[in-house]
Every structure is written in C-alpha cells, then in structure tokens.
Amino acid sequence: MLRIENLTKVYGEKKAVDHLTLHIQPGEIYGFIGHNGAGKTTTIRSCCGILQFDEGEIYIDGVSIKKDPIACKRKLAYIPDNPDLYEFMTGIQFLNFVADIFGVSAGDRQERIRRYADMFELTDDLAQPISAYSHGMKQKLAVISALLHDPRLIIMDEPFVGLDPKATHLLKTVMRELCSSGTAIFFSTHVLEVAEKLCDKVAIIKGGKLIKSGTMEEVKGDTSLEDVFLELEDAQ
C-alpha cells in the first residue's frame, strides 16, 4: 500500500532523510519512531505529496506520488500533528467541505459523520465555529475529516498528542477496525508503549537513516521497545 524506495531529502548540507526504504502492506499498522529531528515528519510529508524530495520514489498502492500526486491523494488521508483547520467554518461546514473535495456521496458522508462524531463525542459541537474548539477537539475533527472518503492508507504524525485518554482509546480502536478491513496505517509517535501494543511493525529512524525495522517481535525481541530504542539511540 505504501512503498518508499531510497527516499532522500536534503536541506543545504544536511540529509534530513538518507536513502530510506520501507514497505507497508494493506492491513498493517506501522509505527515510525525516532527523536525530534530524526526525519520522521520529512518522510511523512514526502509520502503525502506535500514535500518534494531529491532522490528515490514513493508509491501509494502502486501509483507514483511524483508522477500522479492527485491519484495518490485520493487513496490516502493525512493527519498532521497540529491540524491547521479553517477556523472561520463550523465543524459541520468543514466536514462537508472535505467530503465535497473527495466527492463523497450525501448518504455516505451523513453516515460517516454521524458515526465518527458520535464516537468521538463531537456531535454537539459541530455547529460551533472551529475557532472555539480546544486542541483536542480540533484533533478529533481532523481525524473524522480524514476518514470521510474511506482512505486505503492513513498517514499520521503524532496522532495521540492533545487527545484525552478516552479519545486515545477510541482512536486506537478505530485504527484496528480500519486495518481489519485492509486499510494500512503509517504513523509517527513518541509514545513507545502505544506503539508496542498497537503496531504490527515498527521502524526506528536516526539522523535520517533507518536503523531497524520489522515486526514488533523482530525489533524488540525479549525486551521492551523502549529499551531497544534507547540502546539504538545511544549507539554510535
């Protein structure tokens, strides 16, 4: 569903991402971990067609993000760590706006908005302007908007930041449900306990280079993901 081949992105003298290769299959939840500045967000934005890259190729469900970014964006949903929403709109106006962009039918959008807004306890706030929303409410709205067009790939940058424990639990439940229907999820996180419990596979990036990846069992073995991460980070 997502194929990253030798991705390289350079800023001046610095290689933010250095020949990174990663393959994510349908139905997988793939965690992406590394310290700030390791190259996670650069990789994620490149995968979403937001950032141009210098070398390599990225394929979404077999389609090149370089050659046909529009086709790729129809297949994926991106949830940034700090959603930049149109604050002059109400919640429901924003959701309908996103549904219009993706050509979601009236019936499908009503069913999905009702289901996810009820689930995340946002239904009563949809008539309010987004400018009145807390960070957590904006994060919930961004999640709902991302699910409206039934994406086959969901890419998220620190999706649990700003969510309360109940909303975090709900998001994890939704992620599992989507993956059981074949959707692939690729997300960065600093919360290693969440990654360890939730992910099928995990990749660790350091200084733009992929230093370890595989199934959770392959990466952590008999120890914890936190121990492996700290050991790899300390290694020169």
Side-chain angles (χ1 to χ4, degrees), residues 16-125:
V17 182
D18 190 356
H19 292 93
L20 185 142
T21 294
L22 210 57
H23 298 167
I24 297 160
Q25 305 299 324
E28 283 184 344
I29 298 183
Y30 212 121
F32 196 37
I33 62 177
H35 278 311
N36 289 339
K40 301 189 303 297
T41 297
T42 297
T43 301
I44 282 173
R45 288 180 177 168
S46 298
C47 291
C48 296
I50 297 168
L51 204 58
Q52 293 187 337
F53 43 95
D54 298 293
E55 294 178 41
E57 186 58 276
I58 296 171
Y59 300 94
I60 310 293
D61 198 17
V63 180
S64 163
I65 194 84
K66 275 185 176 176
K67 292 176 182 171
D68 199 346
I70 300 297
C72 289
K73 288 175 184 179
R74 288 195 185 103
K75 296 171 182 280
L76 67 83
Y78 167 53
I79 304 173
D81 59 340
N82 191 15
D84 192 10
L85 309 175
Y86 294 120
E87 300 212 344
F88 61 88
M89 289 183 172
T90 63
I92 192 65
Q93 284 173 337
F94 179 74
L95 293 178
N96 277 309
F97 169 69
V98 172
D100 285 343
I101 289 172
F102 285 100
V104 182
S105 70
D108 283 345
R109 77 174 64 181
Q110 284 174 5
E111 187 272 325
R112 289 169 191 161
I113 289 172
R114 186 179 300 114
R115 179 183 171 213
Y116 290 120
D118 284 351
M119 182 183 293
F120 285 103
E121 299 180 343
L122 205 61
T123 304
D124 292 344
D125 300 295

Side-chain angles (χ1 to χ4, degrees), residues 1-2 7 10 16 19 27 65-66 68-69 74 87 97 102 106 125-126 146 156-157 165 172 177 180 190 210 230 234:
M1 194 57 69
L2 172 61
L7 175 65
V10 180
H19 292 93
I65 194 84
K66 275 185 176 176
D68 199 346
R74 288 195 185 103
E87 300 212 344
F97 169 69
F102 285 100
D125 300 295
L126 289 181
M156 300 186 282
D157 200 356
K172 289 189 285 187
E177 281 178 7
S180 67
H190 282 110
L210 189 68
L230 293 173
D234 290 339

